[in-house]
Amino acid sequence: MNQRRGARYVDPSVQGGIVLRMMFYWTAFFVVGLVIAFAVQVLSNPLEPMAQHMSHVWQNQGPFILAAICLLPIYAYDLIRFSHRFVGPIIRFRRVVNEAADGEVPPPFNLRDKDYWKDFASDLNRLFERMRSGRTPQES
C-alpha cells in the first residue's frame, strides 16, 4: 500500500526543531572547518600579509565552501522529507486517539509503506477492534 500525503511540513514544532538543529550542526562544522583552514594557512607562512592568507584560503577552500553552501538547502529538504515518515504517523495517531476520546471508535487505519511506528499502529488497531466488538481484555 503506497499512500501519499499532500504536505511534507506537517508539524512545524517538531520538523522545524529538527531542521534548526541540523542547521546548527552544519554551521558549527562549517565555521570550525573555515577556522582550521585559515589557521593552517597562517601557520604555514606566518609572515605573509592577512589579505594574502585570505586569498589563499579562498583559492584552496573555495570549492568546499561553495559545495557546503549549496548542499545546505538539499539537506534541509531531505530532513523534512525523512522526518515526515515519523511525524506524519504521530499526527494520525493523535487524530484517531482524539476520536476515541470523544466516544467514537475509529475505523482501522494503515500507514504508508515507509512510515515508522507500524507496530504502534497495529496495537492501536487491535485496541479499536476490541472497542468495536465490545470485548474486555479478560474475554479475549
Side-chain angles (χ1 to χ4, degrees):
M1 168 187 306
N2 191 6
Q3 303 171 16
R4 292 185 58 93
R5 292 190 195 109
R8 296 227 185 270
Y9 194 65
V10 294
D11 192 340
S13 64
V14 174
Q15 288 177 293
I18 291 170
V19 169
L20 285 175
R21 176 69 55 103
M22 181 276 306
M23 291 177 83
F24 170 76
Y25 292 144
W26 179 91
T27 303
F29 170 78
F30 189 75
V31 168
V32 168
L34 285 178
V35 167
I36 290 172
F38 188 74
V40 167
Q41 176 62 40
V42 169
L43 292 173
S44 68
N45 192 354
L47 301 177
E48 232 175 44
M50 210 42 81
Q52 193 73 19
H53 287 304
M54 296 294 281
S55 174
H56 284 139
V57 168
W58 177 250
Q59 285 175 340
N60 296 330
Q61 305 303 325
F64 162 76
I65 293 167
L66 292 176
I69 290 170
C70 290
L71 286 173
L72 180 62
I74 295 168
Y75 291 160
Y77 176 74
D78 185 60
L79 195 54
I80 289 170
R81 284 185 53 221
F82 175 75
S83 67
H84 191 248
R85 291 172 51 192
F86 57 86
V87 172
I90 292 296
I91 289 174
R92 181 89 184 267
F93 296 153
R94 285 174 47 198
R95 191 182 79 233
V96 296
V97 166
N98 283 329
E99 286 176 22
D102 291 340
E104 303 171 33
V105 180
F109 66 94
N110 295 311
L111 299 177
R112 297 177 307 164
D113 291 338
K114 293 183 179 180
D115 279 345
Y116 291 102
W117 311 110
K118 286 190 175 192
D119 292 341
F120 187 56
S122 296
D123 294 342
L124 277 178
N125 278 328
R126 275 186 35 235
L127 173 67
F128 296 145
E129 174 58 35
R130 179 166 284 154
M131 290 169 66
R132 275 190 291 283
S133 69
R135 293 179 301 178
T136 63
Q138 293 79 17
E139 295 174 9
S140 298

